[in-house]
Amino acid sequence: MSFTDWVRGGIAQRRVAIFLKVIAVLMLLAGLSHLASILSLTGISWGGRPLQFQAFDVTLLLANLTLALGLWRTKFWAVVGWVATVLLLQYVPILFFTDLFASNARERATLYTMLAIHAVFLGTFFALLRRKGGS
């Protein structure tokens, strides 16, 4: 059985589908937080923010809302997109370009906490998939 077939079979399981719906709600909330940032509802003018934050707000707004819909519907492309988004748009920029996103220890701790939460979600997802083979 290929990895793709294993994931496709796993997301058909009820427990994985429920987990993906929870992730979809969290992605929707994350997308709304980026929208609030763009609309300057967070207390900081969006136009006054650094360019990298503006670019990531727009990118993550679109990605989060699109993936929320796909994850809610338990689509394979959304699972792949979710994993890729977490790795490519969260882990890589934050771990390799930390100084661009965090100017002090408190901001770095916040970003690393966010990455730890993503790791827990990804680990839980793959653990739920793994249980399929054992049950």
Side-chain angles (χ1 to χ4, degrees):
M1 173 183 282
S2 73
F3 181 76
T4 303
D5 293 335
W6 178 61
V7 173
R8 285 183 192 271
I11 62 177
Q13 298 290 319
R14 180 173 158 80
R15 67 178 175 267
V16 178
I18 291 170
F19 179 77
L20 290 177
K21 288 186 186 321
V22 169
I23 296 298
V25 170
L26 295 173
M27 294 291 280
L28 177 63
L29 292 173
L32 292 175
S33 74
H34 291 290
L35 180 62
S37 176
I38 291 169
L39 297 175
S40 299
L41 299 176
T42 59
I44 300 170
S45 170
W46 189 67
R49 297 187 74 161
L51 185 60
Q52 68 267 21
F53 281 100
Q54 292 177 0
F56 271 92
D57 271 339
V58 172
T59 303
L60 290 173
L61 168 67
L62 297 173
N64 286 342
L65 295 181
T66 302
L67 293 175
L69 176 64
L71 288 171
W72 185 265
R73 298 178 67 208
T74 62
K75 298 293 186 183
F76 176 75
W77 61 264
V79 172
V80 172
W82 170 55
V83 173
T85 298
V86 168
L87 295 177
L88 298 176
L89 296 179
Q90 299 285 331
Y91 276 90
V92 171
I94 291 171
L95 292 178
F96 292 109
F97 306 105
T98 305
D99 293 337
L100 288 175
F101 299 101
S103 59
N104 59 47
R106 182 176 178 208
E107 290 175 351
R108 280 191 290 283
T110 300
L111 291 176
Y112 294 148
T113 301
M114 181 185 69
L115 294 182
I117 291 168
H118 282 301
V120 168
F121 288 150
L122 289 172
T124 302
F125 172 70
F126 285 110
L128 288 171
L129 288 180
R130 196 170 68 123
R131 285 189 54 211
K132 178 187 179 283
S135 49

